[in-house]
Amino acid sequence: METPSDTEIIFLNGRIPLFPSYLVIGILPQTLLPIITPLQTTPIGSGPFRFLDRPDETCVRVLRQRDGQHIEFAEFLIPLSVSFKLLAGEIQLLQK
């Protein structure tokens, strides 16, 4: 069987559930290549969201470009506080 030139075949010795995530390739504009920047703290972003800021290690703020909605992703270390915030309407989505 002949493989097309744009196809890559990978054989694994066992199950690796996270293998597809290992194949993600970061794509940067050529103008940013000579600049050394920590992309985990100051990402450039693309797509429907624009990175706004990361005030601390537990929070990331983005802007949904379609409607200008500000969205905040936060980590809460105390489970009870998350429940209270959800009941009070301070957060709209909870992922455990």
Side-chain angles (χ1 to χ4, degrees), residues 11-24:
F11 295 96
L12 303 174
N13 291 330
R15 289 184 169 183
I16 304 175
L18 297 177
F19 181 73
S21 66
Y22 299 152
L23 299 175
V24 176

Side-chain angles (χ1 to χ4, degrees), residues 4-90:
S5 62
D6 63 348
T7 301
E8 194 73 34
I9 297 176
I10 300 172
F11 295 96
L12 303 174
N13 291 330
R15 289 184 169 183
I16 304 175
L18 297 177
F19 181 73
S21 66
Y22 299 152
L23 299 175
V24 176
I25 299 172
I27 300 172
L28 296 174
Q30 186 175 2
T31 56
L32 290 180
L33 289 178
I35 301 171
I36 298 174
T37 177
L39 294 176
Q40 68 272 20
T41 57
T42 55
I44 57 169
S46 66
F49 296 95
R50 183 170 53 106
F51 175 77
L52 292 176
D53 66 347
R54 184 175 183 150
D56 59 43
E57 291 293 316
T58 64
C59 180
V60 173
R61 295 182 189 139
V62 296
L63 175 72
R64 186 168 52 195
Q65 299 196 67
R66 176 182 70 215
D67 59 3
Q69 176 80 32
H70 287 250
I71 299 173
E72 183 174 314
F73 297 95
E75 177 183 16
F76 297 98
L77 303 176
I78 303 170
L80 189 58
S81 69
V82 176
S83 300
F84 286 133
K85 288 182 179 293
L86 190 60
L87 291 171
E90 294 178 29

